[in-house]
Amino acid sequence: MKVAGEPSFRDSVDLMFNRAVRLMDLSPGLEEKIRVCNSTYTVRFGVRLRGKIETFTGYRSVHSEHMEPVKGGIRYAMAVNQDEVEALAALMTYKCALVEAPFGGSKGGLCIDPRQWDDHELEQITRRFAYELIKRDLIHPAQNVPAPDMGTGEREMAWIADQYARMNTTDINAKACVTGKPPHAGGIQGRVEATGRGVQYALREFFRHREDVAMARLSGGLEGKRVIVQGLGNVGYHAAKFLSEEDGCKIVAVIERDGAILNDKGLDIEDLRQWMVGHQGLVAGYPGGTHVEGGAAVLEEPCDILIPAALEGVIHKENAPRIKAPLIIEAANGPITFGADEILRQKGVVIIPDMYANAGGVTVSYFEWVKNLSHIRFGRMQRRAEEARSRLLVEELERLSSDKGLGWSLADDFKERFLQGSDELALVRSGLDDTMRTAYQAMREVWHGRNDVEDLRVAAYLVSIGRVAAAYRSKGL
Ligand code: NAD
């Protein structure tokens, strides 16, 4: 989305990159090599639908191949264009480097309004798009591995995986050609929730550092914090659900396409989502809150944490001065333009940047890819062994207690939890939590450790550009 009077999304990402890279001492030319997008493939293909041939335009952009495969989602939206796909591919490069997922950056998109087509038609379109990309190795387990993004989900990823398998019948690693598949089709537990879960873990980590919380002019923990979420899709829904159900946050407003729903006491996110499912994705008429039209204005309402989780460019030069949230976590990619970023920083708003905040998706995608290549579910070998070892300890404690007449007894719920070996979901969540904490600490070290770094975004860029540069250097560049 191009915001009037502001740089395009792609230019915005590059300007943010430039702001960081000028603080680095890279060898001549390396800066340019990292910044540029290596290639963008545009495809126009036809599908016979409803008695006529419909022509669709799609893109797959590869920003950086310092590591392969390259990785990045496929977006279905009418506004998809080359500039947007290249911006998103660049963000993928930096994101993967920041969370140490061993991938280069890529992104794809198809100009389509998925709501205009039924399931069978969407399958035909997706398979045809996938065919075009597969035959050019732009979908490939070792070279380019897509994932879901706006407008796509498990279903589309399963179609893509199947299309690849049909075209590569002897490739034993075929399932690793795409991530975000449903668990029955080679996916991994916890992938659907991963990006929203990552937003929750990112906020938990932020609130563990009192000094950082104070910089956002906040205090205490997540409990009771008033939150506004834009976009109750995959990312926004999971983030809002987990923050409200598990951390005691109050979601006081949800902004959607058809306006916003407000409730000062906190919305029941699961209930609202169920309402949307039954009402063509609309929030108007939801009985658990007040509906207002013109949702964008609700971004400017007072709250503690603002979570834009819909699309890019929603906070721009024009509305940035009116934003009241002291803390913004960019669950969407690029929701704050370069110009708005400047205004918000001057106002003292703390921004947890997209390349970190929404990295939960690619992190769990990485786990799924590893699972597909290893052909075994995480936890399958060790879960019962873990349980047996814990049981040994519990039995020994109980024996000691009874032999020595100590009268100790372990609480039943403790025993149950302690005896449980880790299944795939528990391992995925643990790996995701560890990743989000480690990446935050890497950013934070730069943020607080250098006088010339004033915000988390520049800190994030410095960490990731440093890692990408190191990868290029070891390739002899
Ligand atoms: P989605 O399609 O599941 O959800 C997007 C939601 O935003 C929908 O509910 C839609 O109705 C709403 N929306 C669209 N336009 C809006 C507007 N103008 N105002 C308010 N709401 C609007 O998409 P998603 O997968 O949740 O992705 C959302 C953002 O998160 C995107 O920027 C995407 O690139 C980013 N992201 C997604 C993932 C992932 O795993 N899905 C990973 C990383 C980043």
Side-chain angles (χ1 to χ4, degrees):
M1 186 167 83
K2 170 94 170 74
V3 184
E6 293 209 54
S8 71
F9 187 11
R10 176 75 216 282
D11 290 340
S12 206
V13 171
D14 284 354
L15 286 164
M16 288 172 179
F17 173 96
N18 293 347
R19 202 162 75 78
V21 86
R22 71 185 160 79
L23 306 177
M24 301 179 80
D25 187 21
L26 296 183
S27 53
L30 184 54
E31 170 188 330
E32 175 69 0
K33 173 65 210 83
I34 297 175
R35 185 192 304 108
V36 297
C37 183
N38 287 4
S39 63
T40 300
Y41 171 65
T42 306
V43 59
R44 294 179 189 85
F45 59 91
V47 186
R48 181 172 287 281
L49 296 162
R50 303 178 193 177
K52 72 183 256 268
I53 294 173
E54 292 281 347
T55 301
F56 296 91
T57 304
Y59 305 89
R60 187 81 186 154
S61 186
V62 175
H63 174 260
S64 175
E65 290 150 291
H66 66 287
M67 281 197 191
E68 284 181 306
V70 293
K71 188 114 192 51
I74 290 185
R75 173 177 287 198
Y76 280 7
M78 283 311 285
V80 162
N81 59 66
Q82 181 169 346
D83 183 281
E84 177 185 86
V85 174
E86 290 189 0
L88 291 165
L91 281 175
M92 281 308 297
T93 296
Y94 309 132
K95 191 180 306 186
C96 290
L98 184 63
V99 295
E100 297 180 287
F103 304 123
S106 181
K107 201 80 181 193
L110 188 63
C111 300
I112 185 174
D113 178 357
R115 289 165 304 178
Q116 280 183 4
W117 305 99
D118 67 29
D119 289 5
H120 177 63
E121 291 166 334
L122 270 177
E123 178 175 349
Q124 280 179 273
I125 300 162
T126 302
R127 282 185 183 277
R128 184 56 208 250
F129 183 34
Y131 168 84
E132 296 294 335
L133 298 181
I134 293 164
K135 73 178 183 190
R136 291 171 178 86
D137 289 341
L138 287 166
I139 296 178
H140 188 286
Q143 291 190 41
N144 197 322
V145 182
D149 192 72
M150 233 165 93
T152 58
E154 284 189 328
R155 183 183 62 169
E156 288 74 15
M157 301 306 115
W159 291 331
I160 293 173
D162 185 63
Q163 187 64 32
Y164 182 89
R166 286 186 191 189
M167 293 166 70
N168 296 274
T169 50
T170 56
D171 185 346
I172 195 168
N173 293 320
K175 282 198 164 61
C177 75
V178 65
T179 58
K181 304 175 293 290
H184 66 261
I188 194 167
Q189 299 294 332
R191 174 60 184 89
V192 175
E193 65 169 43
T195 311
R197 182 67 79 184
V199 171
Q200 176 197 31
Y201 289 166
L203 280 172
R204 282 186 180 175
E205 181 58 18
F206 179 85
F207 276 88
R208 279 190 196 104
H209 301 277
R210 246 196 289 171
E211 204 184 339
D212 302 4
V213 175
M215 287 178 86
R217 288 164 285 133
L218 291 167
S219 59
L222 277 168
E223 178 80 35
K225 291 286 178 291
R226 296 163 59 79
V227 179
I228 295 179
V229 180
Q230 184 190 39
L232 208 67
N234 180 306
V235 179
Y237 158 67
H238 286 104
K241 178 180 166 71
F242 299 145
L243 287 167
S244 57
E245 292 178 3
E246 298 172 14
D247 296 292
C249 289
K250 259 194 220 176
I251 313 294
V252 293
V254 165
I255 307 164
E256 257 294 333
R257 293 170 201 268
D258 65 317
I261 288 287
L262 284 73
N263 185 335
D264 216 42
K265 295 201 176 76
L267 289 157
D268 179 337
I269 294 301
E270 191 52 49
D271 194 49
L272 174 56
R273 172 78 162 198
Q274 289 316 318
W275 168 274
M276 288 174 67
V277 169
H279 296 82
Q280 292 102 40
L282 304 177
V283 293
Y286 174 64
T290 313
H291 179 254
V292 295
E293 281 179 14
V298 177
L299 290 168
E300 301 162 22
E301 288 296 310
C303 65
D304 297 312
I305 307 170
L306 178 59
I307 310 185
L311 62 168
E312 60 265 18
V314 292
I315 301 175
H316 38 78
K317 271 186 180 164
E318 203 268 318
N319 63 0
R322 298 191 299 273
I323 298 285
K324 295 180 193 68
L327 175 64
I328 304 178
I329 178 159
E330 294 183 313
N333 282 307
I336 300 177
T337 64
F338 181 73
D341 190 67
E342 182 111 32
I343 295 169
L344 293 169
R345 262 185 291 120
Q346 276 163 14
K347 279 170 47 138
V349 177
V350 172
I351 299 167
I352 303 180
D354 46 7
M355 79 169 77
Y356 166 68
N358 66 36
V362 74
T363 300
V364 177
S365 275
Y366 167 41
F367 302 155
E368 180 178 333
W369 181 73
V370 171
K371 173 185 178 179
N372 293 152
L373 294 178
S374 57
H375 301 268
I376 189 163
R377 155 168 59 81
F378 288 110
R380 182 164 176 179
M381 302 295 279
Q382 60 273 52
R383 182 175 177 190
R384 302 300 166 192
E386 239 181 66
E387 278 184 13
R389 215 171 311 124
S390 304
R391 187 169 301 284
L392 211 61
L393 182 64
V394 164
E395 284 171 359
E396 185 61 8
L397 281 173
E398 287 177 338
R399 188 190 63 74
L400 278 174
S401 164
S402 108
D403 283 4
K404 309 265 179 219
L406 297 173
W408 294 346
S409 66
L410 297 167
D412 283 346
D413 71 322
F414 167 81
K415 245 171 36 179
E416 197 186 313
R417 279 193 292 147
F418 186 70
L419 288 176
Q420 237 168 46
S422 305
D423 61 7
E424 186 170 80
L425 184 59
L427 290 168
V428 162
R429 286 182 179 161
S430 151
L432 176 59
D433 195 10
D434 182 58
T435 303
M436 297 309 289
R437 290 192 200 200
T438 310
Y440 185 80
Q441 285 155 23
M443 277 190 312
R444 184 173 192 273
E445 212 170 287
V446 176
W447 187 26
H448 295 306
R450 286 181 58 154
N451 291 333
D452 52 356
V453 174
E454 55 175 300
D455 61 327
L456 275 167
R457 193 188 308 280
V458 164
Y461 269 103
L462 288 180
V463 174
S464 35
I465 298 170
R467 289 177 182 165
V468 176
Y472 273 122
R473 274 196 294 269
S474 41
K475 279 174 174 283
L477 265 181

